[in-house]
């Protein structure tokens, strides 16, 4: 079983990563740091957008865990922007067609969001 941890913290080794490490003790997992990807806002289209690269990694995983620091009692902008983009994910080909998650071709476990402060 492959586990993908999506870290939305701008600090790759900060509290969010430490909390994920604690949560996943004894399990092998891969970390994807959103700060390493250019993901534009929902509705914007630029040739260097890397949203689909992140979605491709999610599709490969059996389990996805998302982590975000808490800023002003909510998730950070990187995670918020990513989740907003997921709103328009088409179930068949990953294009933006205003079909909301959950998508049947994405992992079943996409519901766990850890927040660190």
């Amino acid at each position: 079983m492959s586990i993908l941890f999506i870290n939305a913290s701008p600090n790759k080794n900060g509290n969010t990563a430490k909390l994920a490490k604690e949560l996943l003790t004894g399990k092998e997992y891969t970390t994807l740091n959103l700060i390493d990807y250019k993901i534009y806002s929902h509705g914007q289209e630029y040739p260097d957008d890397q949203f689909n690269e992140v979605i491709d990694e999610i599709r490969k995983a059996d389990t996805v865990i998302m982590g975000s620091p808490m800023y002003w009692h909510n998730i950070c902008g990187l995670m918020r922007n990513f989740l907003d983009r997921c709103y328009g994910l088409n179930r068949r080909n990953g294009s933006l067609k205003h079909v909301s998650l959950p998508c049947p071709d994405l992992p079943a476990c996409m519901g766990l969001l850890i927040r660190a402060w």
Side-chain angles (χ1 to χ4, degrees), residues 1-6 23-24 27 57-67 82 101-114:
M1 174 165 80
S2 62
I3 300 172
L4 177 65
F5 168 58
I6 298 178
L23 174 72
L24 296 168
K27 295 180 176 40
E57 292 301 314
I58 289 173
R59 283 195 172 107
K60 293 176 193 173
D62 296 314
T63 302
V64 175
I65 299 173
M66 299 179 185
F82 174 72
L101 291 174
C103 294
D105 60 339
L106 293 180
C109 179
M110 279 192 62
L112 181 60
L113 176 68
I114 59 173

Side-chain angles (χ1 to χ4, degrees), residues 9-61:
S9 176
N11 183 353
K12 295 178 186 181
N13 299 307
N15 291 335
T16 304
K18 289 176 187 170
L19 190 57
K21 184 177 179 182
E22 193 70 29
L23 174 72
L24 296 168
T25 297
K27 295 180 176 40
E28 190 173 321
Y29 67 97
T30 303
T31 299
L32 184 147
N33 293 297
L34 286 181
I35 195 73
D36 293 337
Y37 294 84
K38 279 189 179 180
I39 300 176
Y40 293 97
S41 297
H42 183 71
Q44 294 181 327
E45 294 184 27
Y46 292 97
D48 60 341
D49 186 275
Q50 296 175 297
F51 174 74
N52 287 328
E53 292 176 33
V54 175
I55 294 300
D56 289 343
E57 292 301 314
I58 289 173
R59 283 195 172 107
K60 293 176 193 173

